[in-house]
Amino acid sequence: MRGFSYLNRVANALCSPRVDRKVRLGQCGLCVTASDSKLQPGFGLLFDIDGVLVRGKTPIPAAKKAFQKLVNPQGQFLVPVVFVTNAGNCLRQTKADQLSHILGVPISQDQVMMSHSPLRMFRKYQDKCVLVSGQGPVLDIAKNLGFSKVVTIDMLRESFPLLDMVDHNRRPKILPSSDVNLPKIDAVILFGEPIRWETNLQLIVDVLLTNGNLGGAHNNQSYPHIPVLACNMDLMWMAEAQSPRFGHGTFLVCLENIYKKITGKDLKYEALMGKPSELTYHYAEYLIRSQAAEREWRNPIGNLYAIGDNLMTDIYGANLYNRYLEEKSSRKSSKALAKVVAGTGSKASAVSQEEESDNAWESELAPPSATSCRSVLVCTGVYDPHTQVPSDPSECITETVFHGHRDFRFDPALVEPGHLVQDVDAAVQLIFEQENFVPL
């Protein structure tokens, strides 16, 4: 309950548009001041989009004001910025064009990270036949990510029309031909929530229970099933409505429970990406470093700030990655100590094999240079400072509050924001003060 009691203590103070608060300065290590001949940032910013910059298609008023602080008169960013969204229904360039229009500053596709962006690192599937689920230009998205053999749900339905039977009006009037040219499906990629949930749920379960061969009957003993890679775990997201709307996380809940109800076994994921996964933040940091290198900023990017509106994705994810960075630093220290001990001839045990092994995806990217990832929560989206949290600690908080994905355990420390502010403009101002960063 520690994280939620913290939020309750400060919620009332955030009801006014302007929040006066004292900040701790001098914590950035390699931060710069206005007295430097050339201002160079030692930090990077990760912005969520829905609930932070926009609600649906409506810009949040503070967003444009915040981004005027982040660019110089030529429209160049003063600090490295990446937009980290769990949306996955369009190409990066499309999202960059939307953001440029909303914020009034030029945004490059290299500054945009969709929930599916880390799929570029899963090269072992790029030559395999993959089924993709979602909405929007899913075929173009998959090919843009490097996948060469792609099957969509619509293609499956056209080849096997007798499998989609919920909507009576869409049932075939004439029995289809038995000639099907679709190859066996090797993996399933879930980009985001589809439009016809019943169709996608039925056909995905069919694929899993036939080991990718829809010409056969279900085989509940076919376990483990073919690989499933899922993007975007948001249970809900904030649009123009007064309350949050279902997200792809809700679709995943349906899929997981249907699969388990039929087979008695848990649906397994080869990878989960999008916030709050460490993989997503690691990839976002890679984009931050790439921007800094392109601008020839020589200061290492030591601190990341993740600005979001959702405790269970934005804040949880940033804090989880911060914990990863701390553990990474600790492992490096342990390895260095083990080498020193080995050099002295001591019989002390070496670093364990588990500590030596890293996540498989880490080999695709350079090691992180950041030492911290600090979370900043805004009150313009999913998070409502007036929401009541169970006051009795004996209540099952994991059931009543935790909206995170099934495979992420609830940890109160991970949903406690490093900072709580009214909106994104207040967040940028706070970060500048934290970093002692004064734009020239």
Side-chain angles (χ1 to χ4, degrees):
M1 294 296 291
R2 183 168 65 95
F4 294 102
S5 62
Y6 165 81
L7 295 177
N8 286 336
R9 289 198 303 272
V10 298
N12 291 333
L14 291 168
C15 294
S16 60
R18 175 71 178 170
V19 181
D20 294 323
R21 56 189 300 150
K22 296 179 180 179
V23 296
R24 299 184 298 276
L25 302 178
Q27 298 179 349
C28 58
L30 292 172
C31 58
V32 294
T33 66
S35 62
D36 290 311
S37 59
K38 186 177 181 182
L39 193 67
Q40 293 200 0
F43 62 99
L45 305 180
L46 308 178
F47 287 95
D48 180 36
I49 297 177
D50 294 303
V52 175
L53 306 178
V54 298
R55 287 184 63 164
K57 296 182 179 179
T58 305
I60 291 173
K64 187 170 287 190
K65 184 178 177 182
F67 275 80
Q68 293 305 314
K69 293 182 171 75
L70 292 171
V71 297
N72 63 19
Q74 293 73 43
Q76 294 177 311
F77 276 89
L78 300 168
V79 299
V81 167
V82 170
F83 300 90
V84 185
T85 175
N86 269 355
N89 58 355
C90 67
L91 297 167
R92 289 190 302 157
Q93 186 60 59
T94 304
K95 184 62 70 174
D97 293 341
Q98 293 171 357
L99 290 169
S100 298
H101 176 72
I102 290 168
L103 300 174
V105 298
I107 306 297
S108 161
Q109 69 168 355
D110 294 330
Q111 293 178 279
V112 176
M113 181 175 174
M114 311 297 289
S115 62
H116 50 62
S117 294
L119 281 169
R120 295 178 183 276
M121 295 187 291
F122 291 84
R123 296 179 184 174
K124 67 179 182 178
Y125 295 110
Q126 291 183 348
D127 293 327
K128 295 182 181 297
C129 181
V130 297
L131 171 68
V132 294
S133 168
Q135 60 180 285
V138 291
L139 195 59
D140 292 337
I141 292 169
K143 291 184 176 179
N144 185 262
L145 290 167
F147 297 95
S148 58
K149 301 175 183 177
V150 184
V151 175
T152 67
I153 292 291
D154 285 342
M155 292 165 64
L156 271 192
R157 186 180 172 278
E158 289 173 8
S159 297
F160 300 96
L162 294 178
L163 299 182
D164 183 23
M165 303 297 285
V166 173
D167 186 343
H168 289 232
N169 293 325
R170 299 215 308 168
R171 291 180 178 179
K173 303 295 187 292
I174 303 174
L175 289 179
S177 168
S178 59
D179 294 332
V180 177
N181 295 320
L182 285 181
K184 177 181 179 295
I185 293 168
D186 300 309
V188 178
I189 298 178
L190 308 175
F191 283 140
E193 61 271 23
I195 296 173
R196 286 185 170 270
W197 285 31
E198 79 283 356
T199 298
N200 289 58
L201 288 169
Q202 177 70 75
L203 295 184
I204 291 169
V205 170
D206 285 337
V207 166
L208 296 178
L209 293 180
T210 59
N211 200 33
N213 183 7
L214 281 183
H218 285 187
N219 178 9
N220 290 3
Q221 304 304 314
S222 180
Y223 193 84
H225 51 70
I226 63 174
V228 177
L229 298 90
C231 313
N232 183 0
M233 295 167 274
D234 282 353
L235 188 75
M236 297 183 289
W237 65 287
M238 202 69 188
E240 289 94 344
Q242 294 185 3
S243 301
R245 305 292 85 196
F246 289 161
H248 191 220
T250 306
F251 178 82
L252 297 181
V253 169
C254 296
L255 179 62
E256 291 158 7
N257 282 278
I258 291 170
Y259 183 83
K260 185 160 188 176
K261 192 71 173 178
I262 292 174
T263 67
K265 302 180 180 71
D266 286 331
L267 180 73
K268 301 291 185 182
Y269 294 98
E270 177 80 1
L272 285 165
M273 59 206 78
K275 298 172 290 187
S277 73
E278 295 171 8
L279 166 61
T280 292
Y281 287 85
H282 193 78
Y283 195 85
E285 186 191 352
Y286 162 75
L287 296 179
I288 288 283
R289 291 199 311 269
S290 298
Q291 279 183 50
E294 184 178 346
R295 293 291 299 276
E296 297 183 346
W297 288 327
R298 292 183 175 84
N299 281 349
I301 304 299
N303 297 328
L304 299 176
Y305 292 87
I307 303 163
D309 68 307
N310 192 324
L311 285 172
M312 303 303 172
T313 54
D314 303 310
I315 304 307
Y316 188 110
N319 291 340
L320 184 65
Y321 190 61
N322 187 66
R323 182 178 290 179
Y324 162 80
L325 292 174
E326 291 175 347
E327 292 174 352
K328 187 89 173 173
S329 176
S330 176
R331 288 202 302 271
K332 284 183 179 178
S333 298
S334 298
K335 293 174 185 178
L337 178 60
K339 289 179 180 178
V340 171
V341 170
T344 62
S346 170
K347 295 183 179 180
S349 61
V351 180
S352 71
Q353 184 177 355
E354 181 180 355
E355 289 173 323
E356 288 285 355
S357 64
D358 289 321
N359 291 317
W361 46 263
E362 289 181 315
S363 61
E364 294 288 335
L365 300 173
S369 63
T371 56
S372 73
C373 183
R374 303 174 184 178
S375 56
V376 183
L377 179 66
V378 298
C379 302
T380 51
V382 170
Y383 173 69
D384 181 357
H386 303 289
T387 299
Q388 293 296 314
V389 176
S391 56
D392 183 359
S394 65
E395 292 188 36
C396 186
I397 193 166
T398 57
E399 299 259 343
T400 58
V401 176
F402 186 52
H403 291 168
H405 186 266
R406 177 201 69 184
D407 294 352
F408 288 75
R409 67 183 180 85
F410 178 74
D411 183 341
L414 292 178
V415 293
E416 179 176 335
H419 304 280
L420 179 60
V421 296
Q422 180 65 29
D423 54 38
V424 66
D425 183 52
V428 169
Q429 185 60 41
L430 170 67
I431 292 165
F432 278 6
E433 292 172 346
Q434 287 284 299
E435 291 290 332
N436 199 21
F437 186 82
V438 183
L440 296 177

